[in-house]
């Protein structure tokens, strides 16, 4: 049984927005940084062999920022969560191929990959919860519409 104070907090729409802001911070923070430091973004993509960097840089920024906005606003959140999860998964072989490294660098990159995998799991949970909320909202709307229809029918009789 969840304590009432905690249940109230968890049910708060503001708490939901803050949670989605925090979950996506790594993405929108990186997107804003890449936008504000565009030459460094191009250099980073080139360093990792993502070419032509001039084509991929705007795409990376768009995925990070649009995906984050969709999640934070909880509008087509499934798409935003998916964008961010796929992006995170793609960074593993591109930027963190620990299996091709030796020594301490291999260990550091392995831990980064483990964190990425956990983050992907968190994004998956977020998508599940947002979908559940969407279904609940649709159910409430359907019940209200059904009740209104029954009320109109009763008034006609």
């Amino acid at each position: 049984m969840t304590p009432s104070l905690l249940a109230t907090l968890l049910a708060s729409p503001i708490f939901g927005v803050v949670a989605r802001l925090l979950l996506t911070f790594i993405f929108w923070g990186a997107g804003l940084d890449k936008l504000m430091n565009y030459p460094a973004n191009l250099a980073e993509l080139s360093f990792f062999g993502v070419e032509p960097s001039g084509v991929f840089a705007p795409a990376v920024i768009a995925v990070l920022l649009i995906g984050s906005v969709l999640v934070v606003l909880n509008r087509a959140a499934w798409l935003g969560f998916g964008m961010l999860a796929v992006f995170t998964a793609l960074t593993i072989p591109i930027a963190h191929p620990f299996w091709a490294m030796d020594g301490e660098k291999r260990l550091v990159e392995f831990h980064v990959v483990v964190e990425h995998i956990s983050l992907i799991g968190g994004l998956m949970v977020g998508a599940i919860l947002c979908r559940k909320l969407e279904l609940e909202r649709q159910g409430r709307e359907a019940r209200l519409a059904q009740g209104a229809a029954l009320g109109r029918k009763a008034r006609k009789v």
Side-chain angles (χ1 to χ4, degrees):
M1 185 59 114
T2 307
S4 63
L5 179 62
L6 185 54
T8 301
L9 180 65
L10 293 173
S12 166
I14 294 171
F15 187 79
V17 171
V18 170
R20 292 189 303 275
L21 274 167
L22 293 175
L23 178 61
T24 59
F25 174 75
I26 192 170
F27 300 108
W28 57 263
L32 291 174
D33 177 64
K34 290 176 186 312
L35 186 61
M36 292 185 296
N37 299 300
Y38 199 75
N41 182 19
L42 294 172
E44 179 184 40
L45 290 172
S46 293
F47 175 79
F48 287 117
V50 180
E51 296 289 351
S53 62
V55 171
F56 285 100
V60 166
I61 292 168
V63 166
L64 294 170
L65 295 178
I66 293 170
S68 295
V69 167
L70 292 173
V71 169
V72 171
L73 297 180
N74 200 16
R75 299 288 181 255
W78 61 270
L79 178 59
F81 281 117
M83 292 168 68
L84 299 175
V86 169
F87 176 84
T88 303
L90 289 173
T91 66
I92 294 171
I94 294 170
H96 308 290
F98 68 91
W99 53 89
M101 300 173 182
D102 293 316
E104 189 174 321
K105 181 142 179 77
R106 178 184 179 110
L107 181 62
V108 168
E109 291 300 322
F110 171 77
H111 287 291
V112 169
V113 168
V114 169
E115 290 170 356
H116 278 46
I117 292 168
S118 294
L119 180 56
I120 292 167
L123 293 167
M124 292 166 69
V125 170
I128 291 166
L129 292 174
C130 284
R131 176 66 178 148
K132 182 179 180 220
L133 290 172
E134 180 182 348
L135 291 172
E136 289 172 357
R137 181 186 51 76
Q138 289 172 352
R140 280 192 306 274
E141 289 173 358
R143 286 189 301 278
L144 287 172
Q146 186 179 31
L150 289 173
R152 284 192 301 270
K153 186 176 179 182
R155 284 191 298 270
K156 287 182 182 180
V157 175

